[in-house]
């Protein structure tokens, strides 16, 4: 569904201060005997704000229950990503996706400089959350004076994946912070571990993810 164009698009600018700007679109997934979903996806921000909100509603338009999975794959690179940059979060469980990732498990939360033949390392996590099931994760640079935070709901997005790809700059010096319904194994593995979710006929689920730009040491420290 991520590669399907929207069939309807709206741009809404709210008249009341803070004059929130909302861009929303309807993306439909239709696969014979497999999927019949509508996704209302919305990106919004207040004028002058340092936050962007992703507010998505997934609707099962089938007459049958349907499985779904979702990963919010947010890529970040320089200048936040650099040698000794750090991932911070209330991690209560972490394990490597494969044997190669296990080699870097002791330093899963720190980053190298651009490194030839680095490959990819993925770490699967679960986060602690507050009484409203909300949690926050952060990536900040080595000096701790620039960063980005993601705030999301662990009830609808109970898993988190950290994708590290600190290869050469021309081949993708980047990391992915990924709130998700599950981990990036084959769906059969996810199903066996009860991580593939289902929606009943005409049922809907909503996902809220806020991305916040942190532009100084005070904002990084507060986060």
């Amino acid at each position: 569904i991520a590669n399907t164009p929207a069939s309807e698009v709206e741009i809404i600018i709210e008249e009341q201060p803070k004059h929130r700007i909302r861009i929303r679109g309807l993306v439909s997934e239709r696969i014979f005997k497999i999927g019949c979903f509508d996704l209302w996806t919305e990106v919004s921000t207040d004028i002058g704000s340092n936050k962007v909100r992703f507010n998505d509603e997934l609707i099962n338009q089938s007459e049958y229950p349907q499985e779904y999975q979702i990963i919010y794959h947010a890529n970040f690179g320089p200048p936040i990503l650099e040698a000794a940059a750090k991932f911070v979060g209330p991690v209560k469980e972490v394990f490597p996706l494969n044997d190669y990732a296990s080699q870097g498990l002791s330093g899963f939360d720190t980053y190298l400089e651009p490194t030839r033949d680095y490959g990819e390392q993925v770490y699967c996590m679960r986060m602690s959350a507050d009484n409203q099931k909300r949690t926050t994760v952060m990536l900040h640079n080595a000096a701790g004076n620039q960063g980005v935070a993601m705030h999301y709901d662990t009830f609808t997005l109970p898993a988190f994946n950290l994708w590290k790809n600190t290869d050469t700059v021309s081949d993708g010096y980047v990391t992915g912070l990924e709130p998700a319904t599950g981990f990036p194994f084959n769906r059969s593995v996810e199903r066996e571990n009860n991580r593939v979710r289902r929606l009943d006929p005409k049922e809907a689920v909503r996902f809220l993810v806020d991305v916040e730009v942190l532009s100084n040491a005070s904002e990084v420290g507060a986060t």
Side-chain angles (χ1 to χ4, degrees):
I1 200 167
N3 300 314
T4 304
S7 57
E8 299 179 31
V9 176
E10 301 173 342
I11 299 176
I12 302 161
I13 302 177
E14 297 179 359
E15 293 184 356
Q16 298 298 321
K18 309 174 181 177
H19 305 295
R20 193 165 190 84
I21 302 170
R22 299 162 52 205
I23 302 173
R24 64 195 306 263
L26 173 63
V27 184
S28 298
E29 182 179 73
R30 300 291 187 269
I31 304 173
F32 183 61
K33 295 292 187 182
I34 296 177
C36 188
F37 286 109
D38 282 342
L39 175 67
W40 276 104
T41 181
E42 178 180 291
V43 183
S44 66
T45 189
D46 293 334
I47 292 177
S49 170
N50 65 338
K51 293 182 180 180
V52 174
R53 165 163 286 190
F54 297 86
N55 182 351
D56 296 339
E57 183 181 31
L58 181 68
I59 308 162
N60 177 11
Q61 298 291 13
S62 172
E63 298 296 334
Y64 299 93
Q66 291 194 99
E67 294 180 331
Y68 72 93
Q69 297 173 283
I70 189 165
I71 289 179
Y72 283 87
H73 182 80
N75 278 350
F76 302 99
I80 298 173
L81 183 63
E82 61 181 356
K86 190 171 181 63
F87 169 80
V88 182
V91 180
K92 62 180 179 180
E93 178 186 1
V94 56
F95 62 90
L97 184 72
N98 52 30
D99 290 341
Y100 176 64
S102 69
Q103 299 173 20
L105 181 59
S106 62
F108 79 91
D109 57 350
T110 58
Y111 291 86
L112 300 175
E113 69 279 358
T115 304
R116 189 175 183 86
D117 297 322
Y118 177 84
E120 302 171 83
Q121 292 185 339
V122 178
Y123 299 97
C124 307
M125 307 181 199
R126 295 191 187 277
M127 301 291 172
S128 297
D130 63 18
N131 292 334
Q132 286 74 48
K133 302 294 186 181
R134 295 283 290 177
T135 195
T136 295
V137 297
M138 174 174 63
L139 173 72
H140 67 70
N141 65 355
N145 58 14
Q146 286 184 312
V148 62
M150 297 180 73
H151 314 276
Y152 66 94
D153 184 348
T154 61
F155 182 76
T156 55
L157 299 167
F160 184 87
N161 303 292
L162 184 66
W163 176 63
K164 298 174 72 176
N165 189 67
T166 50
D167 208 325
T168 64
V169 172
S170 60
D171 290 284
Y173 183 66
V174 67
T175 188
L177 277 59
E178 305 173 355
T181 54
F183 303 124
F185 296 102
N186 184 277
R187 184 179 293 193
S188 62
V189 175
E190 292 297 281
R191 189 182 291 117
E192 289 174 4
N193 287 277
N194 298 314
R195 292 192 294 259
V196 177
R197 297 201 160 189
R198 293 164 66 91
L199 282 178
D200 288 332
K202 310 307 177 183
E203 187 182 9
V205 61
R206 186 176 296 276
F207 308 97
L208 291 176
V209 180
D210 293 305
V211 179
E212 180 181 9
V213 176
L214 309 171
S215 58
N216 56 57
S218 177
E219 291 176 352
V220 170
T223 301

